[in-house]
């Protein structure tokens, strides 16, 4: 009893505002995959056109890599990380150990975003949630289409916070950090980071 | 599952970006443990869109090291938030291994302690159980047995709230401190944030891991995750 206590982690660790990098917009929605109707789909997109964007990633070294891991790895291999303009993430279902249909579903998520971004091979996909269940693609496809058709994108703090919430599973708070940094020549740049995770955590990514 | 995204408006060349992310991950997200389980989906990605009007950053750019350090520190902040949200956790614990013969073994020792269920339950119970820490160090599969000298090892709990005294020595040069001040131990272990410091005394390399305690709540959360 002495050891157990309740900590309000949300108020301790979730910021109330932030700074965000130029040329990005984010959106999120509740597709109904999560049983409680919470946000469960997020998209981060680059809208800067002054030069091509670059992306990199590290992935689990677990032998049973989930479909979105395999698909995103392939996108990065094909493009060498050049021209990646979007990331689509769903929570509630990990699309792991789902075989060929899982790969098809992950590719479909990517293709839907690519179509709307009008770019081939420009999207990474990630999923988190229950292992061994197929994605409810009817709900996820509708969610992606709604985000674009209803232009749910924004670049304000709440939009970023909601994306951080949309990727949560058993997390008790969304994880979002943002900072501005100054280069030696005085120019400023911004880093914004989001993460999710509370259990099944001992990564060894490469 | 761990998922993470680092987004920046810097222009970073793709190979430099991959190297930078790998470097940062090996010092942040790859150094955390909540329960010792590795997911099928763990992914950290980084996008740099180049909206800031400066020449593209490459591995040979003058600013590369500075940006890499900043991204690494930033990734550590994010990674530590994941540990702070460890399912059912009440404590955030830094495992600091110093003066190791090589980095690999320092890292392995830090990871082994971080993953020990018995160390983690003792932390939850606020029990200064140095025996469990020593046990975990002892069964670590080292790359070089010379990394661990049982006559040189020092183990302490360290407070991270700037209080004084801040260190409770558990093992000094391989000798367990049997008359531990239990009142001080209780005070130190009641902190939400604390550090376990291990000085191997066999070299100069260091490694850090971040972990949390293991509570009854972890079992409650994970007993019916799928249903």
């Amino acid at each position: 009893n002495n050891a157990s206590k309740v900590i309000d982690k949300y108020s301790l660790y979730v910021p109330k505002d932030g700074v965000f990098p130029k040329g990005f917009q984010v959106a999120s929605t509740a597709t109904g995959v999560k049983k409680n109707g919470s946000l469960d789909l997020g998209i981060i997109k680059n809208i800067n056109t002054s030069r091509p964007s670059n992306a990199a990633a590290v992935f689990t070294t677990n032998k049973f890599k989930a479909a979105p891991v395999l698909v995103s790895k392939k996108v990065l291999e094909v493009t060498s990380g050049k021209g990646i303009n979007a990331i689509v993430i769903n929570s509630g279902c990990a699309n792991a150990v789902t075989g060929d249909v899982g790969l098809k579903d992950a590719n479909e998520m990517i293709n839907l975003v690519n179509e709307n971004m009008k770019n081939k091979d420009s999207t990474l996909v990630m999923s988190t949630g229950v292992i061994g269940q197929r994605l409810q693609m009817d709900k996820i496809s509708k969610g992606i289409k709604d985000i674009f058709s209803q232009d749910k994108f924004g670049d304000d703090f709440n939009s970023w916070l909601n994306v951080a919430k949309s990727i949560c599973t058993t997390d008790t708070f969304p994880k979002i950090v943002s900072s501005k940094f100054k280069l030696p020549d005085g120019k400023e740049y911004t880093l914004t980071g989001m993460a999710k995770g509370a259990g099944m955590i001992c990564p060894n990514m490469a | 599952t761990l998922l993470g995204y680092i987004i920046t408006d810097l222009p970073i060349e793709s190979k430099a970006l991959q190297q930078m992310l790998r470097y940062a991950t090996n010092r942040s997200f790859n150094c955390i443990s909540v329960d010792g389980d590795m997911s099928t989906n763990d992914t950290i990605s980084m996008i740099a869109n180049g909206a800031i009007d400066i020449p593209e950053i490459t591995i040979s750019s003058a600013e590369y090291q500075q940006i890499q350090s900043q991204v690494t520190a930033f990734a550590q902040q994010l990674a530590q938030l994941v540990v702070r949200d460890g399912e059912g956790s009440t404590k955030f614990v830094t495992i600091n291994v110093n003066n190791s013969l090589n980095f690999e073994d320092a890292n392995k020792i830090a990871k082994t302690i971080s993953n020990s269920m018995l160390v983690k339950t003792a932390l939850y119970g606020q029990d200064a159980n140095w025996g469990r820490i020593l046990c975990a160090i002892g069964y670590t599969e080292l790359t070089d047995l010379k990394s661990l000298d049982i006559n040189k090892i020092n183990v302490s709990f360290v407070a991270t709230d700037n209080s004084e005294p801040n260190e409770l020595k558990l093992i000094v040069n391989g000798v367990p401190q049997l008359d531990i001040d239990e009142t001080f131990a209780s005070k130190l272990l009641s902190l939400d944030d604390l550090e376990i410091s291990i000085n191997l005394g066999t070299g100069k390399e260091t490694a850090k891991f971040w972990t949390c305690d293991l509570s009854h709540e972890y079992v409650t959360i994970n007993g019916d995750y799928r249903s």
Side-chain angles (χ1 to χ4, degrees):
Chain A
N1 285 339
N2 285 342
S4 81
K5 56 188 167 187
V6 176
I7 305 168
D8 182 3
K9 293 179 180 178
Y10 194 103
S11 63
L12 273 175
Y13 302 120
V14 181
K16 292 188 171 55
D17 54 26
V19 287
F20 303 103
K22 292 177 186 173
F24 285 99
Q25 289 187 334
V26 294
S28 54
T29 193
T31 66
V33 169
K34 273 187 185 165
K35 289 172 188 168
N36 58 5
S38 304
L39 295 170
D40 57 16
L41 182 73
I43 298 176
I44 302 164
K45 74 168 180 178
N46 167 39
I47 57 165
N48 176 56
T49 53
S50 64
R51 59 179 125 194
S53 67
N54 285 320
V58 287
F59 299 100
T60 182
T61 47
N62 192 313
K63 291 280 185 190
F64 295 103
K65 288 175 181 56
V69 170
L70 296 170
V71 169
S72 292
K73 271 186 84 170
K74 192 168 181 191
V75 170
L76 286 174
E77 281 163 15
V78 167
T79 61
S80 302
K82 293 170 187 167
I84 303 296
N85 285 309
I87 305 174
V88 56
I89 318 111
N90 78 278
S91 61
C93 175
N95 191 12
V97 202
T98 44
D100 289 344
V101 292
L103 292 170
K104 182 174 162 286
D105 292 343
N107 274 308
E108 192 179 331
M109 286 177 72
I110 277 182
N111 290 338
L112 281 168
V113 177
N114 284 342
E115 278 169 25
N116 282 284
M117 299 283 292
K118 297 183 173 43
N119 273 312
K120 197 185 160 206
D121 288 332
S122 71
T123 304
L124 302 179
V125 60
M126 286 157 213
S127 302
T128 178
V130 179
I131 294 172
Q133 290 182 0
R134 193 174 172 187
L135 284 177
Q136 298 173 54
M137 279 308 293
D138 52 339
K139 293 177 180 173
I140 289 175
S141 298
K142 183 176 181 306
I144 294 171
K145 286 172 188 168
D146 286 352
I147 281 176
F148 280 98
S149 65
Q150 295 169 24
D151 193 14
K152 293 187 175 185
F153 288 96
D155 58 8
D156 58 318
F157 174 71
N158 279 330
S159 298
W160 284 90
L161 181 65
N162 282 337
V163 170
K165 286 179 180 175
S166 75
I167 61 176
C168 289
T169 49
T170 57
D171 306 56
T172 63
F173 63 90
K175 292 137 195 91
I176 180 164
V177 181
S178 63
S179 290
K180 274 196 181 299
F181 299 90
K182 203 169 259 185
L183 294 169
D185 66 359
K187 288 233 173 172
E188 280 192 332
Y189 77 94
T190 306
L191 288 175
T192 293
M194 291 178 285
K196 66 81 50 183
M200 198 179 269
I201 299 290
C202 189
N204 183 23
M205 296 169 291
Chain B
T1 293
L2 172 77
L3 296 182
Y5 314 94
I6 298 174
I7 317 292
T8 184
D9 42 21
L10 279 171
I12 308 177
E13 187 263 333
S14 62
K15 275 185 186 167
L17 189 69
Q18 184 68 46
Q19 180 169 308
M20 189 181 288
L21 180 64
R22 192 179 301 128
Y23 179 95
T25 300
N26 283 337
R27 287 154 184 80
S28 57
F29 295 105
N30 278 354
C31 299
I32 62 171
S33 177
V34 169
D35 48 23
D37 273 308
M38 187 200 295
S39 167
T40 51
N41 292 56
D42 293 334
T43 305
I44 302 294
S45 66
M46 184 168 178
I47 295 191
N49 72 352
I52 301 289
D53 187 20
I54 59 168
E56 190 173 58
I57 306 293
T58 65
I59 292 166
S60 55
S61 297
E63 305 92 342
Y64 180 83
Q65 293 296 335
Q66 179 193 337
I67 294 167
Q68 180 173 260
S69 297
Q70 288 165 340
V71 169
T72 302
F74 189 81
Q76 286 175 347
Q77 273 188 66
L78 263 181
Q80 288 173 19
L81 286 176
V82 173
V83 177
R84 289 189 184 281
D85 201 16
E87 287 167 343
S89 70
T90 67
K91 290 186 194 304
F92 175 81
V93 184
T94 302
I95 312 289
N96 226 333
V97 179
N98 295 307
N99 297 318
S100 172
L101 187 64
N102 59 55
F103 169 77
E104 289 74 21
D105 286 341
N107 193 54
K108 282 183 174 186
I109 286 172
K111 187 173 186 175
T112 306
I113 298 168
S114 296
N115 284 336
S116 164
M117 292 294 148
L118 287 174
V119 170
K120 289 156 79 75
T121 50
L123 289 166
Y124 177 64
Q126 302 179 7
D127 176 11
N129 197 324
W130 54 266
R132 291 180 182 175
I133 299 169
L134 203 66
C135 176
I137 295 169
Y139 67 70
T140 303
E141 293 180 11
L142 301 172
T143 54
D144 189 338
L145 292 177
K146 289 177 191 154
S147 293
L148 178 60
D149 182 335
I150 59 170
N151 296 311
K152 288 183 178 172
I153 189 168
N154 285 265
V155 180
S156 303
F157 283 124
V158 181
T160 56
D161 64 349
N162 297 322
S163 58
E164 287 292 339
N166 73 335
E167 184 178 15
L168 176 67
K169 290 180 187 295
L170 303 169
I171 295 156
V172 178
N173 296 325
V175 180
Q177 304 302 288
L178 297 178
D179 54 349
I180 281 173
D181 179 348
E182 291 292 348
T183 308
F184 178 47
S186 292
K187 188 181 161 204
L188 212 156
L189 284 158
S190 69
L191 295 171
D192 295 339
D193 281 33
L194 67 141
E195 178 185 318
I196 298 175
S197 172
I198 296 102
N199 186 339
L200 293 174
T202 55
K204 290 184 177 173
E205 294 297 328
T206 64
K208 259 187 209 295
F209 240 79
W210 295 280
T211 189
C212 57
D213 57 347
L214 179 69
S215 73
H216 306 280
E217 188 62 16
Y218 181 87
V219 180
T220 304
I221 292 167
N222 286 289
D224 68 348
Y225 182 65
R226 202 177 65 95
S227 54

